[in-house]
Amino acid sequence: MTSPIILAVDTPDLDIARRWIDATRASIDVYKLGLEFFLSHGIDGIASIQNETGASIFLDLKLHDIPNTVSKSAAVVERLHPRFLTVHASGGRAMVSAAVNAVTTTSITAVTILTSLSENDLAEIGFKGSAFTTAQSLAQVAVDAGATSIVCSPHEISGIRSVVGDAIEIITPGVRPADETGSDDQMRTMTPAQAIALGANFLVIGRPITSRWSQGSQAMADRAAEIVESIHK
Ligand code: C5P
């Protein structure tokens, strides 16, 4: 069974990334590498992580441009065959579809509304509905265009699930284990078990696991295993 945890490998350091992945492989199958890592190490850096660790990659590039440019960019990434590649749903139907058509096995993952945007921010840039209803309609358009996974806040899981159906994979950050002290800068968090019970397929978790690195690789491995176990209890 695939682990529901995606580790957010938020480091620009290739060697640390490799060690974090090695330390947690027993509990985690998919690893999120983002722009910071990609801009530091490029396609070759991602390929070396894949070759050395055998991990599946969630490539979080959040592509957003005209369809032709997104198509060509997704085609460059295609040779890595990441498990997931993110695009902004607000790029529109043709853009999402261009990404979908440029890849084969990769799931195009639509990011709806960034949770860093407040309702006021959305109104200011011209969105008419609430963050929640806008996220629902963006998810619907993206899925119609061929996206097979969606990133959303844990609080939007049920609402998004009701419009996209059961076949779409829902991936959510903003998750914190019940025994974690403090929630870093994450607001309105949920526990892993709550998010899975609401219908999330994958949870993106970073610091609750990676912060254990200072205590050694076994501490990090143990924390990842504990979190997976807390979901299955
Ligand atoms: O360390 P933490 O568990 O907060 O990491 C969560 C990961 O998910 C980070 O890589 C962060 O950029 C990403 N993310 C998020 N909230 C969103 C979207 C993405 O925390 N709304």
Side-chain angles (χ1 to χ4, degrees):
M1 200 177 85
T2 307
S3 168
I5 307 291
I6 297 177
L7 184 70
V9 183
D10 288 328
T11 171
D13 186 315
L14 191 80
D15 192 48
I16 294 282
R18 199 183 283 126
R19 287 162 183 240
W20 284 357
I21 295 170
D22 283 343
T24 55
R25 284 291 277 137
S27 311
I28 297 178
D29 303 305
V30 184
Y31 291 83
K32 180 169 95 77
L33 293 170
L35 261 185
E36 183 187 12
F37 187 91
F38 192 75
L39 292 174
S40 303
H41 304 290
I43 292 273
D44 292 344
I46 308 266
S48 88
I49 291 278
Q50 287 175 314
N51 294 337
E52 287 162 25
T53 66
S56 293
I57 303 298
F58 177 115
L59 192 52
D60 193 14
L61 300 184
K62 297 192 179 68
L63 300 177
H64 190 177
D65 209 314
I66 59 170
N68 184 53
T69 303
V70 166
S71 167
K72 291 194 166 143
S73 306
V76 171
V77 163
E78 160 67 4
R79 84 167 165 89
L80 294 170
H81 297 294
R83 170 86 166 74
F84 300 101
L85 170 66
T86 54
V87 304
H88 274 288
S90 55
R93 186 181 298 273
M95 190 209 80
V96 175
S97 170
V100 169
N101 291 331
V103 297
T104 51
T105 57
T106 298
S107 172
I108 293 297
T109 307
V111 175
T112 55
I113 298 285
L114 295 175
T115 48
S116 52
L117 294 171
S118 67
E119 300 287 345
N120 282 346
D121 291 329
L122 290 176
E124 188 177 49
I125 57 176
F127 283 93
K128 294 200 175 63
S130 66
F132 179 71
T133 56
T134 308
Q136 277 186 314
S137 45
L138 285 169
Q140 176 87 69
V141 169
V143 166
D144 284 352
T148 50
S149 41
I150 299 286
V151 174
C152 66
S153 141
H155 298 274
E156 293 165 355
I157 295 168
S158 317
I160 299 267
R161 179 65 77 203
S162 69
V163 296
V164 302
D166 289 340
I168 300 300
E169 292 181 304
I170 294 184
I171 303 167
T172 178
V175 175
R176 287 291 176 266
D179 61 359
E180 189 81 1
T181 47
S183 63
D184 308 307
D185 48 2
Q186 294 282 9
M187 313 281 192
R188 300 167 63 230
T189 58
M190 264 187 208
T191 68
Q194 285 169 331
I196 294 289
L198 283 169
N201 301 91
F202 289 97
L203 315 173
V204 175
I205 301 181
R207 288 163 292 179
I209 297 171
T210 57
S211 65
R212 301 298 165 107
W213 183 242
S214 58
Q215 297 163 37
S217 63
Q218 190 58 49
M220 193 162 162
D222 292 346
R223 188 57 171 153
E226 263 168 33
I227 294 176
V228 171
E229 206 171 304
S230 75
I231 296 168
H232 296 128
K233 261 186 195 153

